[in-house]
């Protein structure tokens, strides 16, 4: 269609949303489908957070707010950064957006010029490269070690050029669940310290979802000299089971935060006022439900990893965090599915799995690394057991 912008030809629709929509369509048509594509907790938003939102409605806090967040939420975010990450931000260094995705996008729109490069390690969240492209930049993909899903300092250093403006860093990772230890992160920040033109956009959305006594750290915390060129992004969606409330936030240099607010003022303006007051309670209220939820997630992770490693042709490492596993289906490549289709890659694997067994997962190539697939274990244990049983059966029937 000639009317549409040429820029749209550079990007692809979100693969994770596409899988979720496909699963919904099949369910609506009467198919028995287990959807493991969505990256959101199955837990309900805690009652104290819902109560705070209801109180905000009853108190008439339903008007426009400051473009990038109410003062009370910015103060709660600043306190969270100090309390949990040892990072000090003034309120003019805090921005609030309609989800973490908008915060990331605002930063890219506010900073990228044609030809600017953004380093993105694999496997990456599906939206990173496309947001860079929409903002006029050039994604530079750095492939991770396929056994750890982490990049090496040497690979990072080799990818940096005079045109590099950002590194987008995500730990724990969507889609792999891999998380960098403090020592591993320090090795990367040592590289970045040598390249003063490179800024760090760290997506810490899964900060609280770590297991087995893993200690989370963030780049500006590990290397304070990078503080002035780091945008630390987070949100309430995952740990607080608030995906639909759409509140993301970031701390960073005041000039960058001001520029991001300028972008937001001409797009969505302020995030939902009610959701902002709910986020104040989320960050400032009781946090004891998070470790309880994490115990459930850990049990589900261990179940899924164990069952997938019993499936023919599947190898599934144990992730440190988030609520995803990213198993390899390399052992199924070249085999024939019950439909007669030869599996030539991870896209074929997930398509045939959905058609044959009614299990919806996301192909790894959508995240820049294959042959793998992503499973979200943020669903009921019963659904996970049944889904993994179906995956075992599917793999067992490959010829």
């Amino acid at each position: 269609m000639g009317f549409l912008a040429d820029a749209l030809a550079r990007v692809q629709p979100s693969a994770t949303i596409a899988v979720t929509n496909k699963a919904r369509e099949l369910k609506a048509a009467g198919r028995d489908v287990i959807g493991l594509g969505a990256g959101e907790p199955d837990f309900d938003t805690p009652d104290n957070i819902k109560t705070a939102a209801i109180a905000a409605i009853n108190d008439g806090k339903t008007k426009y707010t400051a473009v990038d967040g109410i003062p009370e939420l910015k103060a709660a975010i600043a306190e969270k950064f100090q309390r949990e990450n040892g990072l000090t931000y003034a309120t003019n260094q805090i921005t609030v957006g309609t989800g973490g995705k908008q915060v990331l996008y605002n930063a890219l729109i506010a900073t990228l010029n044609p030809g600017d490069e953004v380093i993105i390690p694999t496997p990456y969240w599906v939206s990173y490269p496309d947001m860079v492209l929409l903002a006029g930049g050039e994604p530079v993909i750095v492939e991770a070690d396929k056994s750890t899903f982490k990049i090496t300092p040497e690979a990072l250093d080799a990818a940096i050029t005079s045109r590099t403006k950002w590194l987008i860093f995500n730990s724990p990772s969507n889609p792999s669940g891999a998380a960098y230890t403090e020592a591993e992160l320090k090795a990367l920040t040592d590289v970045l310290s040598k390249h003063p033109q490179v800024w760090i956009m760290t997506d810490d959305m899964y900060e609280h979802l770590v297991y087995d006594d893993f200690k989370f750290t963030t780049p500006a915390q590990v290397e304070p000299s990078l503080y002035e060129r780091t945008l630390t992004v987070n949100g309430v969606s995952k740990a607080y089971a608030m995906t639909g409330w759409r509140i993301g936030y970031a701390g960073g240099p005041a000039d960058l935060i001001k520029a991001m607010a300028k972008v937001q003022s001409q797009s969505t303006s302020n995030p939902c006022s009610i959701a902002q007051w709910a986020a104040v309670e989320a960050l400032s209220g009781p946090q004891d439900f998070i470790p309880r939820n994490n115990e459930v997630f850990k049990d589900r992770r261990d179940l899924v990893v164990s069952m997938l490693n019993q499936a023919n042709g599947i190898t599934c490492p144990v992730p440190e965090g988030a609520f995803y596993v990213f198993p390899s289906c390399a052992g199924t490549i070249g085999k024939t599915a019950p439909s007669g289709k030869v599996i030539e890659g991870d896209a074929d694997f997930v398509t045939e799995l959905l058609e044959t067994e009614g299990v919806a997962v996301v192909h790894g190539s959508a995240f820049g690394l294959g042959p793998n697939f992503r499973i979200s274990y943020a669903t009921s244990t019963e659904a996970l057991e049944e889904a993994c049983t179906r995956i075992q059966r599917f793999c067992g029937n490959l010829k």
Side-chain angles (χ1 to χ4, degrees):
M1 183 178 178
F3 182 72
L4 298 180
D6 293 342
L8 284 180
R10 306 182 74 196
V11 303
Q12 300 295 323
S14 168
T16 52
I17 293 175
V19 167
T20 301
N21 289 341
K22 178 67 172 177
R24 286 174 180 155
E25 290 172 6
L26 290 172
K27 283 183 180 179
R31 285 285 306 275
D32 177 17
V33 174
I34 302 174
L36 302 179
E40 63 177 349
D42 59 320
F43 302 120
D44 197 12
T45 302
D47 286 342
N48 63 302
I49 298 173
K50 292 189 286 187
T51 299
I54 293 167
I57 295 172
N58 290 334
D59 292 343
K61 295 174 179 176
T62 56
K63 310 297 184 185
Y64 291 132
T65 75
V67 166
D68 64 344
I70 58 176
E72 293 85 352
L73 180 51
K74 288 191 172 190
I77 291 166
E79 169 59 25
K80 173 263 181 278
F81 277 131
Q82 182 64 58
R83 178 181 72 243
E84 297 181 349
N85 309 114
L87 298 175
T88 301
Y89 292 108
T91 54
N92 69 337
Q93 293 179 278
I94 301 289
T95 187
V96 182
T98 307
K101 182 180 284 189
Q102 184 181 32
V103 174
L104 296 165
Y105 189 65
N106 286 348
L108 294 169
I109 288 289
T111 59
L112 292 183
N113 295 309
D116 286 345
E117 296 176 350
V118 178
I119 294 174
I120 303 173
T122 64
Y124 47 72
W125 182 42
V126 293
S127 293
Y128 293 150
D130 291 306
M131 287 195 292
V132 170
L133 289 166
L134 280 172
E138 298 296 332
V140 175
I141 306 303
V142 178
E143 187 164 321
D145 183 296
K146 288 192 175 185
S147 63
T148 64
F149 305 127
K150 301 175 189 180
I151 61 168
T152 64
E154 294 77 16
L156 173 61
D157 198 32
I160 294 173
T161 74
S162 60
R163 298 183 299 278
T164 305
K165 183 161 277 188
W166 287 101
L167 162 69
I168 298 181
F169 181 76
N170 177 218
S171 171
S173 160
N174 175 5
S176 71
Y180 289 74
T181 66
E182 185 171 359
E184 290 168 336
L185 182 51
K186 183 63 168 65
L188 297 182
T189 60
D190 285 348
V191 171
L192 295 166
S193 295
K194 300 187 301 180
H195 299 279
Q197 84 279 15
V198 182
W199 285 47
I200 303 93
M201 187 181 300
T202 178
D203 181 350
D204 294 350
M205 194 63 69
Y206 297 91
E207 168 186 4
H208 291 106
L209 302 178
V210 292
Y211 316 113
D212 304 318
D213 298 321
F214 183 90
K215 178 188 175 185
F216 171 85
T217 50
T218 194
Q221 175 185 19
V222 169
E223 182 46 70
S225 67
L226 297 178
Y227 173 87
E228 291 295 337
R229 50 187 170 108
T230 299
L231 183 70
T232 303
V233 182
N234 212 313
V236 297
S237 294
K238 311 299 183 178
Y240 297 92
M242 295 177 67
T243 50
W245 298 77
R246 308 308 302 135
I247 294 292
Y249 60 83
D255 287 345
L256 173 60
I257 297 299
K258 183 178 180 180
M260 292 167 62
K262 185 176 182 181
V263 172
Q264 189 161 306
S265 73
Q266 300 297 352
S267 55
T268 61
S269 195
N270 66 271
C272 170
S273 62
I274 305 308
Q276 289 189 67
W277 284 105
V280 171
E281 175 62 21
L283 295 175
S284 304
Q287 308 289 303
D288 55 345
F289 65 92
I290 295 177
R292 290 199 301 269
N293 288 354
N294 280 4
E295 282 299 314
V296 177
F297 281 139
K298 179 182 180 297
D299 289 344
R300 293 173 177 175
R301 179 203 66 174
D302 293 345
L303 169 71
V304 170
V305 169
S306 174
M307 292 190 71
L308 289 177
N309 279 323
Q310 296 173 54
N312 294 340
I314 303 297
T315 304
C316 186
V318 180
E320 292 90 353
F323 39 61
Y324 309 107
V325 293
F326 199 61
S328 168
C329 58
T332 69
I333 306 302
K335 295 186 176 181
T336 303
S339 67
K341 168 72 175 178
V342 175
I343 295 176
E344 298 179 354
D346 50 35
D348 289 339
F349 178 87
V350 302
T351 298
E352 292 301 310
L353 177 63
L354 179 58
E355 294 295 336
T356 304
E357 291 288 353
V359 177
V361 300
V362 188
H363 56 291
S365 53
F367 305 98
L369 192 67
N372 292 71
F373 60 100
R374 190 193 78 170
I375 284 179
S376 168
Y377 53 83
T379 190
S380 72
T381 300
E382 294 75 18
L384 291 170
E385 287 180 338
E386 175 61 22
C388 289
T389 298
R390 295 183 188 186
I391 293 171
Q392 290 175 351
R393 183 168 61 213
F394 174 73
C395 292
N397 288 331
L398 298 177
K399 305 298 183 183

